[in-house]
Amino acid sequence: MPTDKSLPDEDESYSIIERLADAIRIEDDLHAGTEDRQRLVQDLYEGPKKCQCCLNWVHEMPSGVEVDQDKEDCTYPLIVRRRVLATMNGNKKRVELHSIEIRHPQVREVLFDVFEGYDNLVREVKFLIFRAPFRPFFWRWDKFNAAIDKEENEVVKTILVQLRSLVRADLAEAFAVKDELVSHGIITFKHLWTIFPPGELVYETPRFGRQSNLGNFFIVTEVEAPHDDPERYQRHPRYTLFCTGTSWNGSSFGATNDNLSLSSFKGTRKIADMRVVPEKYLEDAAAIKARCLERGKRHYELAGINYKAYLPEKAEEMTESERQQHTNRIMLDSRNGPRKTFVRLLSEVKKPQLYTELIAQAPVDAAPPGGHRPLEDNPMRPRYRQPIPVHDYDSPYDEPYVRSPPRPVVIEEDPMAAGTEDGDKNKKQVLDELELLLLSSYMHGYCLKERKWDDFEVDRIVDVEKNTKPFDSLVLPEGYKDLILSFVENQLKDGEAFDDVINGKGGGLVMLLAGDPGVGKTMTAESVAEKIHAPLVKMELSDLLKDERDRMPERRRRDSRSRSPVSNRDDDELTKTFALAAKWKAVLLIDECDMYLEKRSDDSPERNRLVARFLRELEYYPSLLFLTTNRERVLDPAIYSRIHLTINYPALDLTSRLAIWRTFLGMEEGEFASTVTDEEFDKLASIETNGRRIKNITKTARMMARRHGRGISFEDIRNVMRITEGLKI
């Protein structure tokens, strides 16, 4: 009759695990001789409390608890401490392991090699204590067994065998789970720690809301199990994995921290279907690692200050015009943003500091800071400090008192200290495959359209396509575009030598574009930025007013909501925005500048201060800056000494309006192409209007035509103008 190899159900699996655990304990008792155990192992038990803060360890067995072996009062190389706990019904007591202290120096040396890399172990410290549950032994079990097998000193080997017997009996259930469940690719929530040893390479599946179907790789450095703290388990039943990855801080690459959590679940679960999966249980691991490695290389190439385009979600499902409409321009800049990324040494990626919190190098009964608390402690009475206990230095296994070495303080690198001043990556840093694999799927930067700092998915970052069409289609009187380009190209070519003879002063190009609304002032600045392939940074009055409000202490907490490129409440927003635009080599556009450059007067000291600040920034600005206004007469006279070129835009004539109508109506091709005839274009051009109104009319008409699946017709435009403008054509 064939054997049924199907997995058992939940209840049966637990009974099998219990039986396997019992079998493992019996087997270990047979392998470890009784005489050796009595000679090498001393058992201590939790006794009556002497203070509120510590456990009192005694040699005598507490009443009501039975044991199998008699104990001798002598010095042992292994000290086993056991806690006495009440059972669920409270009528009986049970004993469980608390810790095992290693007092034999040669055994400690062997264990230092086995657990190298864990808990910052220091060989010179002569205390070594393993606390229950003994997870480090489970994670390094093969290495532990190999160390026992190759040990030549019989005394040391015998002690190690006894230690293995003690630990394996306590870990019997974990070994049963490994054999019965993990071997089939499934796991229980209680035993999740068995598959996440510190140092393990794990994969976090894509988080909710991300377009990319590619997650991130990390290295686990510590596992926090909820079962270790019953009270916390009731409040937050989840595992926390402390991990290390690779990150770019704007100046250099280094190791960074990240925390991953795993929520509780009932019964068993397939390991490959969890939110975080060890790499060895990952389905199609080779393909996923190859894709993450390619993304890491892309991340490495993008490190620094870069002007890029950011595709919308589900861009592959959009038409070309829709994709262009929803694609944003971004500045990748991890150095100058409001959120700083602190990194450690890059070498910690390949050799991270691993922690279990279960290996100590200090006495178990050491007094806590402030001394012991008496059982009848008066909280109003000042604490007193107990003297440090004195140990017998001549005892063969009792070593001098040494406090546990503290968890090492990680000195994080200053993000401004390394790399180059403009945020380009340190060319000396070459990342290997593991470091590239662990690079984040996000990069920090600034969205120029939405005017806010954010994280951007690497897979959606693409190069900006050079587009001269906006400038070519710009409708200006003859000679205007040539004049503007002459100034711009000379500034780009000569840089700081363009203007001022004083070093550090000037060197930029400031243009004032004046004229009625809708004549092309703003479009001129936007098209020039496209022409020279430079980012366009817009500054609005709301940013400066926000800056003024944030100078008031009670308003500073609102700084994080600012839409300005600068979010640091302690910095001057105006100065920082000018500095960022210069660092990015951007075209800075200040629309409606008359709102905050109005003539100074004795009646408005706050406005006078704002104008003075603005004039100072203009004088030292090193890049391209466009000011637009339709109220030139109200500007402060001092502004003209900072302006290199003033262009006055005349009202649109018939020829200009005709060209603008043809530009906006000729944007669609194919089935959505406009059906407006030349005669109808002439009718539209005869209507006195401005470019902004023409743009809004064509945009509304296009939406109406798209609803019917066709291009814009003259009838669509006539209906829109009748409804929105009150005009009949």
Side-chain angles (χ1 to χ4, degrees):
M1 184 175 180
T3 304
D4 183 8
K5 295 185 179 180
S6 60
L7 292 178
D9 60 30
E10 183 177 340
D11 294 337
E12 291 179 348
S13 66
Y14 278 113
S15 63
I16 290 175
I17 289 173
E18 289 296 333
R19 290 199 298 271
L20 288 175
D22 291 340
I24 290 172
R25 296 186 184 100
I26 294 172
E27 179 184 1
D28 288 332
D29 288 341
L30 294 175
H31 287 180
T34 303
E35 294 183 2
D36 289 339
R37 191 185 190 288
Q38 292 179 348
R39 179 170 51 87
L40 301 174
V41 179
Q42 180 184 23
D43 289 302
L44 299 179
Y45 298 90
E46 180 183 4
K49 278 184 170 293
K50 292 184 177 180
C51 63
Q52 296 186 29
C53 50
C54 302
L55 297 176
N56 179 33
W57 302 108
V58 298
H59 296 278
E60 296 79 11
M61 179 67 56
S63 60
V65 179
E66 295 183 359
V67 293
D68 296 333
Q69 290 136 350
D70 297 330
K71 304 296 179 291
E72 298 180 12
D73 187 9
C74 59
T75 302
Y76 297 88
L78 299 179
I79 304 298
V80 178
R81 292 175 171 86
R82 302 176 187 270
R83 296 201 63 182
V84 180
L85 304 174
T87 57
M88 295 294 293
N89 55 24
N91 297 326
K92 298 181 180 180
K93 297 179 181 180
R94 61 184 176 88
V95 174
E96 68 175 30
L97 277 177
H98 172 273
S99 61
I100 301 176
E101 181 178 350
I102 313 300
R103 291 196 172 184
H104 196 287
Q106 291 176 277
V107 174
R108 282 200 301 266
E109 287 298 318
V110 174
L111 296 178
F112 280 141
D113 292 334
V114 172
F115 298 105
E116 183 181 6
Y118 278 177
D119 295 299
N120 194 37
L121 294 179
V122 179
R123 290 178 180 269
E124 289 73 18
V125 177
K126 298 181 180 180
F127 279 98
L128 184 61
I129 299 171
F130 295 91
R131 296 193 181 99
F134 303 100
R135 298 191 186 111
F137 283 93
F138 183 89
W139 292 325
R140 296 280 178 92
W141 193 253
D142 292 340
K143 191 173 182 180
F144 182 41
N145 280 328
I148 295 175
D149 292 340
K150 73 175 184 179
E151 179 58 48
E152 298 179 355
N153 188 311
E154 289 300 324
V155 174
V156 174
K157 189 169 186 176
T158 303
I159 297 173
L160 290 172
V161 169
Q162 285 295 325
L163 176 62
R164 179 173 62 183
S165 175
L166 291 166
V167 171
R168 184 171 170 82
D170 198 70
L171 294 172
E173 187 173 312
F175 283 109
V177 168
K178 178 182 178 181
D179 295 338
E180 186 65 22
L181 300 182
V182 177
S183 61
H184 292 88
I186 57 177
I187 192 67
T188 63
F189 178 72
K190 178 181 179 181
H191 299 95
L192 274 178
W193 63 268
T194 63
I195 62 173
F196 291 109
E200 183 78 3
L201 180 65
V202 298
Y203 175 75
E204 181 196 23
T205 56
R207 298 182 181 180
F208 178 77
R210 286 185 48 185
Q211 178 190 2
S212 174
N213 60 354
L214 195 61
N216 293 278
F217 278 98
F218 296 96
I219 293 178
V220 177
T221 57
E222 184 178 348
V223 180
E224 188 177 80
H227 304 86
D228 297 342
D229 187 346
E231 293 184 4
R232 186 170 61 86
Y233 178 71
Q234 294 296 328
R235 298 191 306 268
H236 305 290
R238 64 170 63 94
Y239 276 83
T240 300
L241 306 180
F242 299 92
C243 301
T244 287
T246 313
S247 188
W248 165 253
N249 71 353
S251 300
S252 60
F253 290 97
T256 188
N257 296 330
D258 206 336
N259 298 341
L260 309 177
S261 62
L262 291 168
S263 300
S264 64
F265 57 87
K266 295 182 179 180
T268 58
R269 179 167 295 182
K270 188 177 180 181
I271 298 175
D273 293 340
M274 294 194 306
R275 177 174 171 262
V276 182
V277 185
E279 184 260 346
K280 59 187 175 184
Y281 297 103
L282 188 62
E283 296 178 354
D284 202 11
I288 294 176
K289 290 179 70 174
R291 292 177 58 196
C292 288
L293 184 59
E294 287 302 315
R295 183 186 63 197
K297 293 177 180 178
R298 173 67 174 163
H299 190 142
Y300 179 80
E301 294 171 357
L302 293 172
I305 295 178
N306 288 291
Y307 174 47
K308 296 295 177 181
Y310 191 61
L311 297 177
E313 293 185 5
K314 301 181 180 180
E316 65 280 356
E317 301 176 7
M318 299 180 178
T319 63
E320 183 64 27
S321 60
E322 290 175 335
R323 185 161 52 249
Q324 291 180 358
Q325 180 182 357
H326 294 92
T327 297
N328 289 328
R329 303 294 177 85
I330 62 175
M331 286 300 304
L332 296 177
D333 187 356
S334 298
R335 182 187 183 109
N336 297 297
R339 192 192 69 200
K340 305 302 180 184
T341 301
F342 294 95
V343 299
R344 305 187 305 278
L345 295 176
L346 187 61
S347 59
E348 290 192 30
V349 175
K350 287 182 286 189
K351 194 175 181 180
Q353 297 177 347
L354 309 178
Y355 299 98
T356 69
E357 303 295 344
L358 296 173
I359 308 177
Q361 291 190 275
V364 174
D365 54 355
H372 294 288
R373 294 178 57 189
L375 288 176
E376 298 179 358
D377 189 19
N378 182 358
M380 302 300 295
R381 184 175 57 193
R383 298 282 179 85
Y384 61 92
R385 183 177 296 276
Q386 290 278 9
I388 296 177
V390 179
H391 290 254
D392 183 5
Y393 292 178
D394 297 329
S395 174
Y397 301 120
D398 197 16
E399 305 293 350
Y401 176 82
V402 181
R403 289 192 180 274
S404 175
R407 188 162 173 162
V409 177
V410 177
I411 306 300
E412 295 174 328
E413 296 178 354
D414 182 354
M416 304 298 179
T420 56
E421 192 169 330
D422 61 355
D424 288 335
K425 61 174 169 286
N426 188 340
K427 301 299 182 181
K428 295 181 180 179
Q429 285 187 295
V430 178
L431 306 188
D432 60 20
E433 284 197 2
L434 177 62
E435 293 160 346
L436 291 171
L437 183 68
L438 299 182
L439 271 173
S440 171
S441 57
Y442 286 93
M443 299 193 74
H444 198 56
Y446 182 77
C447 181
L448 296 167
K449 180 180 179 180
E450 299 179 4
R451 298 170 47 239
K452 68 176 183 179
W453 292 94
D454 206 345
D455 290 324
F456 302 97
E457 293 183 39
V458 175
D459 293 335
R460 292 165 56 188
I461 300 173
V462 297
D463 294 335
V464 176
E465 297 181 3
K466 195 167 186 179
N467 184 15
T468 61
K469 186 177 179 180
F471 188 83
D472 297 337
S473 60
L474 185 64
V475 178
L476 293 176
E478 185 178 356
Y480 274 54
K481 290 198 285 187
D482 287 340
L483 179 61
I484 293 171
L485 274 184
S486 298
F487 269 76
V488 170
E489 290 174 352
N490 272 279
Q491 199 278 336
L492 294 176
K493 179 179 179 181
D494 297 333
E496 294 183 357
F498 175 77
D499 178 52
D500 215 299
V501 296
I502 301 177
N503 290 335
K505 184 178 180 182
L509 173 61
V510 181
M511 293 189 191
L512 175 63
L513 311 181
D516 295 334
V519 294
K521 303 186 298 296
T522 301
M523 187 171 290
T524 297
E526 294 172 344
S527 60
V528 166
E530 286 289 327
K531 177 76 174 179
I532 64 176
H533 201 63
L536 179 69
V537 175
K538 294 183 180 181
M539 181 188 295
E540 294 186 1
L541 178 61
S542 60
D543 300 335
L544 303 182
L545 294 179
K546 183 69 174 66
D547 183 26
E548 293 298 322
R549 291 196 301 269
D550 286 344
R551 291 173 180 273
M552 303 171 61
E554 65 272 19
R555 298 288 183 97
R556 286 193 172 188
R557 64 182 180 274
R558 302 182 183 177
D559 180 78
S560 60
R561 302 178 185 176
S562 173
R563 296 176 63 84
S564 168
V566 183
S567 298
N568 191 333
R569 66 187 184 188
D570 295 323
D571 290 329
D572 185 284
E573 296 233 4
L574 178 63
T575 301
K576 287 285 286 181
T577 302
F578 270 91
L580 277 180
K583 187 178 290 291
W584 293 344
K585 297 179 174 59
V587 174
L588 181 58
L589 170 61
I590 304 177
D591 251 337
E592 310 297 339
C593 67
D594 49 86
M595 296 290 291
Y596 34 83
L597 284 175
E598 196 171 347
K599 292 178 183 178
R600 286 171 283 186
S601 66
D602 295 336
D603 299 331
S604 181
E606 291 186 2
R607 179 173 293 278
N608 295 346
R609 184 174 65 251
L610 177 61
V611 173
R613 290 169 56 207
F614 209 100
L615 293 174
R616 183 179 68 250
E617 296 299 335
L618 290 180
E619 189 169 5
Y620 288 91
Y621 186 64
S623 190
L624 293 173
L625 189 150
F626 285 90
L627 304 172
T628 70
T629 181
N630 50 25
R631 299 191 304 154
E632 184 182 2
R633 65 185 181 279
V634 305
L635 295 178
D636 192 275
I639 191 69
Y640 291 99
S641 65
R642 275 81 170 174
I643 293 174
H644 302 89
L645 178 64
T646 300
I647 299 180
N648 287 286
Y649 286 67
L652 298 178
D653 57 15
L654 181 67
T655 304
S656 298
R657 290 194 296 269
L658 178 61
I660 293 174
W661 278 110
R662 288 187 178 278
T663 297
F664 284 113
L665 290 174
M667 296 176 64
E668 300 284 353
E669 298 179 354
E671 59 176 325
F672 295 109
S674 170
T675 60
V676 179
T677 64
D678 291 341
E679 182 180 352
E680 292 168 338
F681 270 118
D682 292 337
K683 290 182 180 180
L684 295 174
S686 65
I687 302 172
E688 292 189 2
T689 185
N690 60 47
R692 183 172 290 111
R693 293 171 67 187
I694 294 174
K695 177 182 178 181
N696 292 335
I697 291 169
T698 56
K699 182 178 181 179
T700 306
R702 181 176 293 108
M703 289 189 291
M704 293 177 60
R706 279 292 185 95
R707 183 172 180 270
H708 298 285
R710 55 177 174 79
I712 302 175
S713 66
F714 182 73
E715 189 65 25
D716 295 325
I717 298 175
R718 183 158 55 182
N719 287 334
V720 172
M721 296 188 71
R722 175 177 58 83
I723 297 171
T724 62
E725 305 288 332
L727 297 176
K728 293 184 179 181
I729 305 176

